[in-house]
Amino acid sequence: MSKEGVALAGTAKEIAAEANQKADKANEISERALAVGSDQTVYHWRCAYDGDAGKVVVVNESPNKATDVTVVFRFQDVTLADARQDVVAGFGELALDAPLVADYLARDAAELRRAAAGGLIINRGACLKVEMHVAFTSELGIRRNDAAEEVIGKKNSRGQIW
């Protein structure tokens, strides 16, 4: 009986250790969920195309910094530009080299010229409707993903895409 009691005690100890590990894991998950729920910081990202520099500029319109920032621009299932930066300050910018954007804008401009030559009245300049995907870590340490559709193109003196 003594041997059985020792064996049962050993088994009970193993089960208790396993239960403690699961409880610790559950606590970690609860703490993470609480942190995610308490991070109500609003981030907004916008972009513009700088045709002179051949870059797409992404702006963090939040006063809070973002870390481990990854940005991807896509147009019709083609990745036009992507970049990663360790820190983007509040109201800071991230510039992406975007030679493909210039190529696609040139194609759109050529199509607009052909349409205008055919007698159509065109009331816009070359532009692209792109998907902007931004993954980042908030100032409170929560990983976030944002996606938006943006229209980029060459802008006139009033800031309108023409």
Side-chain angles (χ1 to χ4, degrees), residues 45-62:
W45 301 86
R46 71 172 170 81
C47 69
Y49 179 65
D50 180 348
D52 295 332
K55 294 183 181 286
V56 174
V57 179
V58 179
V59 179
N60 172 9
E61 290 194 325
S62 166

Side-chain angles (χ1 to χ4, degrees), residues 69-135:
V69 180
T70 302
V71 179
V72 177
F73 282 90
R74 295 184 56 78
F75 174 70
Q76 296 178 344
D77 297 326
V78 174
T79 298
L80 299 175
D82 63 345
R84 186 191 169 288
Q85 187 164 308
D86 291 335
V87 177
V88 176
F91 304 113
E93 297 180 350
L94 169 62
L96 293 82
D97 288 324
L100 284 177
V101 171
D103 293 346
Y104 278 100
L105 287 172
R107 289 181 197 173
D108 190 50
E111 288 176 20
L112 291 173
R113 283 192 299 275
R114 280 193 296 277
L120 292 175
I121 297 174
I122 308 297
N123 195 21
R124 70 165 179 90
C127 62
L128 298 175
K129 188 177 196 178
V130 298
E131 299 170 17
M132 176 178 70
H133 300 271
V134 183

Side-chain angles (χ1 to χ4, degrees), residues 8-20:
L8 287 174
T11 302
K13 185 177 179 182
E14 289 173 14
I15 292 171
E18 188 176 320
N20 284 337

Side-chain angles (χ1 to χ4, degrees), residues 136-155:
F136 63 98
T137 301
S138 73
E139 215 169 60
L140 294 178
I142 306 304
R143 192 74 182 150
R144 294 192 177 172
N145 296 292
D146 286 345
E149 285 189 338
E150 297 276 344
V151 177
I152 58 174
K154 195 166 183 180
K155 295 190 177 193

